[in-house]
Amino acid sequence: MNRITKRFEMLQARGRKGFIPFITAGDPDLATSTQIVLTLAGMGADIIELGVPFTDPMADGPTIQASSTRALGNGVTLKDILAMVREIRETCETPIVLFSYFNPIFRFGIERLAIDAAATGIDGVLVTDAVDDEASEIGQTLHEHGIDLISLIAPTTSDDRLRSIGERARGFLYAVSRAGVTGAQKETGESAETLVKRARRFTDLPIAVGFGISTRSQIEEVWKYADAAVVGSAIVAEIERSIATGNTVETIRDFIGGLLPQVAKDAAES
């Protein structure tokens, strides 16, 4: 049982729901990313998603695209990210998921990634553009090394595909709240709740909802019907705004402090 499964079992036992923040690794630089991850973990993050910077992040909106560009401008590679996680693991046991596209993983080597990620302390990998046989091959290779392939589902996913994804999924399902790319939205809409209800017919895995979650009220709304809420673009936007002043870690600490529902803060302090 890896850290992801243990964390969701702990949340269920305590009657709580999960908070999953996303940042792009290497934005604004690797040292600051390391400090942000440790800060998020200390503030109660249940799982942390680390975006692997990529030149063509087609599932991401302009905020995360810009963060990828900044990280790539720093020369950040997948090898650098694994080294960063190795450093984080010296003091932190919060589950970590790599959020990537197929191309960077294919270039690195799927078997090599599985071996190195397991040795580093990565718990899951989400490959946004891998489907069907490709996803099965990646998932099997990762599973042999104790790493979950986290699967995406969307409001446009058919029941047949929900069934097949549910049969091979591990860790948790990532439910995209709406069609389109990542980015903060004023409302999450009903499509996410409908998607979660449909997916529960085909799997007992926890389901996290992301894409467009940016406020405390949206997190609380998602927690009514899903197991966890993912916040990405809103955090990345705060990182971008803080770069000019150089107080990124403090900015993120203040932002998360205002974002998290009180129940999550209480859990982090207990």
Side-chain angles (χ1 to χ4, degrees):
M1 182 186 299
N2 71 14
R3 296 182 189 88
I4 294 173
T5 301
K6 288 180 180 176
R7 181 58 60 112
F8 276 111
E9 287 191 352
M10 182 273 285
L11 289 170
Q12 185 176 34
R14 297 183 181 182
R16 288 183 47 226
K17 300 299 180 72
F19 168 58
I20 306 178
F22 166 100
I23 65 168
T24 297
D27 174 39
D29 55 68
L30 284 167
T32 306
S33 289
T34 300
Q35 292 306 309
I36 293 173
V37 169
L38 294 174
T39 298
L40 292 169
M43 297 187 74
D46 294 293
I47 297 170
I48 295 173
E49 289 186 352
L50 281 180
V52 177
F54 179 47
T55 53
D56 188 22
M58 69 288 283
D60 292 310
T63 300
I64 294 180
Q65 286 187 13
S67 71
S68 274
T69 300
R70 290 192 294 273
L72 289 171
N74 293 333
V76 172
T77 65
L78 187 48
K79 184 178 179 181
D80 294 328
I81 297 169
L82 293 174
M84 182 183 110
V85 174
R86 188 176 297 110
E87 180 182 347
I88 290 168
R89 279 283 172 253
E90 293 177 1
T91 57
C92 177
E93 284 297 309
T94 300
I96 294 177
V97 171
L98 289 183
F99 189 107
S100 183
Y101 291 84
F102 180 69
N103 187 276
I105 289 176
F106 179 74
R107 291 181 61 189
F108 191 85
I110 296 169
E111 180 74 22
R112 178 187 172 197
L113 174 67
I115 294 170
D116 289 359
T120 298
I122 299 289
D123 305 285
V125 177
L126 191 157
V127 187
T128 58
D129 52 350
V131 297
D132 299 333
D133 292 344
E134 209 168 58
S136 295
E137 178 184 352
I138 296 172
Q140 182 59 39
T141 302
L142 292 174
H143 180 60
E144 290 170 359
H145 295 273
I147 298 172
D148 295 329
L149 176 66
I150 309 303
S151 298
L152 278 175
I153 57 174
T156 52
T157 305
S158 69
D159 281 358
D160 285 344
R161 286 197 56 77
L162 284 177
R163 181 182 292 105
S164 64
I165 290 171
E167 287 173 351
R168 68 168 184 263
R170 295 186 176 91
F172 65 94
L173 288 181
Y174 187 128
V176 175
S177 66
R178 55 182 167 70
V181 297
T182 60
Q185 298 288 315
K186 291 182 179 179
E187 298 179 358
T188 55
E190 297 179 358
S191 60
E193 183 173 2
T194 301
L195 174 61
V196 171
K197 288 179 178 176
R198 290 174 54 218
R200 291 210 192 280
R201 293 162 49 197
F202 305 109
T203 181
D204 293 327
L205 284 178
I207 302 176
V209 172
F211 280 40
I213 313 299
S214 60
T215 67
R216 178 185 298 187
S217 63
Q218 288 174 330
I219 293 174
E220 292 173 334
E221 183 64 29
V222 166
W223 281 359
K224 292 177 182 176
Y225 59 85
D227 300 289
V230 183
V231 180
S233 293
I235 297 173
V236 174
E238 292 296 319
I239 292 173
E240 182 176 17
R241 277 191 281 270
S242 72
I243 291 175
T245 57
N247 62 345
T248 300
V249 176
E250 292 78 10
T251 298
I252 296 304
R253 183 181 291 112
D254 292 344
F255 178 70
I256 298 299
L259 179 72
L260 279 180
Q262 188 60 45
V263 63
K265 297 178 185 177
D266 293 344
E269 294 169 358
S270 63

